Amino acid sequence: MGEVLALVEARLRTALGEPDARAAVTFLGTDRVEVLRFVDGDVVRYATLGMSAQPMADPTAALADPVKGPRAELVLSVRAGVADTDKVLRPLAVLASTPQVEGVIVAAGASLDVGEPLWPGAPFSSVLVAEPGGLVEDLELDEPMDPVRFLPLLPMTSNEAAWKRVHGAKALEERWLTHGTDLRDPLRRSVPLD
């Protein structure tokens, strides 16, 4: 477990630079999750460290495989100085603990909701999990372990989350693209959905 997390942190540092802050959260019955903060000009990136320590298990499986199964970490990018986004640390740790707590597999196209604003004044309580491989490349691990995927999180308003449930992740992403939505704006309004 520690070896995997050391490799994950090295990959994050290679892709994003040195973190300027880190915080750790432990929930009862779960492994510790850290959130690292990276500043890149006017963008702040928050990356989880700890979610990939164990593979995510299929909730229908009788026993969880301790070695094989998908592994992931979460990455959120927002504009700096617009809102108090550092308060996102705990909600991010909650999202990273979801596979252990709820026995779900977090993958691209999924919606995750924390039930409260991601940071003070945020119009978002949920995120869309985007495709991995862009900002931080997958981290290959020794066989038979699956690679660690770094999943970008795209904050969604409650209207966008409801629309996505009906129309799907791809349709919402296309709508954002069509309207030139700045997904890094921590105070942005919902994209037009009519």
Side-chain angles (χ1 to χ4, degrees), residues 28 42-43 61 67 74 111 113 129 146 163 174 183 189 194:
L28 187 63
D42 69 338
V43 175
V67 178
L74 308 174
S111 299
D113 196 315
V129 181
D146 288 21
W163 197 86
E174 286 171 15
L183 296 174
R189 297 188 187 284
D194 46 357

Side-chain angles (χ1 to χ4, degrees), residues 178-190:
T178 301
H179 289 274
T181 306
D182 180 3
L183 296 174
R184 293 178 179 169
D185 179 353
L187 298 175
R188 74 171 179 83
R189 297 188 187 284
S190 183

Side-chain angles (χ1 to χ4, degrees), residues 15-177:
L16 305 176
E18 286 299 309
D20 75 336
R22 64 193 310 145
V25 180
T26 306
F27 302 103
L28 187 63
T30 66
D31 294 331
R32 168 183 158 126
V33 174
E34 288 188 87
V35 179
L36 283 60
R37 182 180 71 186
F38 302 86
V39 178
D40 180 15
D42 69 338
V43 175
V44 181
R45 301 187 199 289
Y46 301 93
T48 62
L49 179 62
M51 183 177 171
S52 62
Q54 305 291 334
M56 293 181 271
D58 181 343
T60 62
L63 288 173
D65 190 315
V67 178
K68 292 175 72 176
R71 293 175 190 258
E73 296 291 353
L74 308 174
V75 181
L76 173 69
S77 300
V78 292
R79 297 233 176 271
V82 180
D84 188 9
T85 56
D86 281 350
K87 297 284 196 293
V88 78
L89 301 178
R90 185 171 174 76
L92 265 183
V94 167
L95 296 178
S97 298
T98 302
Q100 284 186 59
V101 174
E102 298 182 18
V104 297
I105 294 177
V106 176
S111 299
L112 301 174
D113 196 315
V114 292
E116 62 187 33
L118 293 174
W119 51 81
F124 322 105
S125 65
S126 63
V127 294
L128 174 65
V129 181
E131 291 292 333
L135 188 61
V136 184
E137 286 184 35
D138 294 350
L139 172 65
E140 296 295 329
L141 299 174
D142 293 337
E143 290 288 337
M145 292 189 283
D146 288 21
V148 176
R149 305 205 186 285
F150 297 88
L151 301 170
L153 300 180
L154 307 174
M156 292 188 292
T157 65
S158 57
N159 287 344
E160 290 169 340
W163 197 86
K164 181 253 175 197
R165 281 192 292 278
V166 173
H167 299 280
K170 291 283 183 230
L172 178 58
E173 289 173 339
E174 286 171 15
R175 188 157 285 258
W176 282 335
L177 195 60

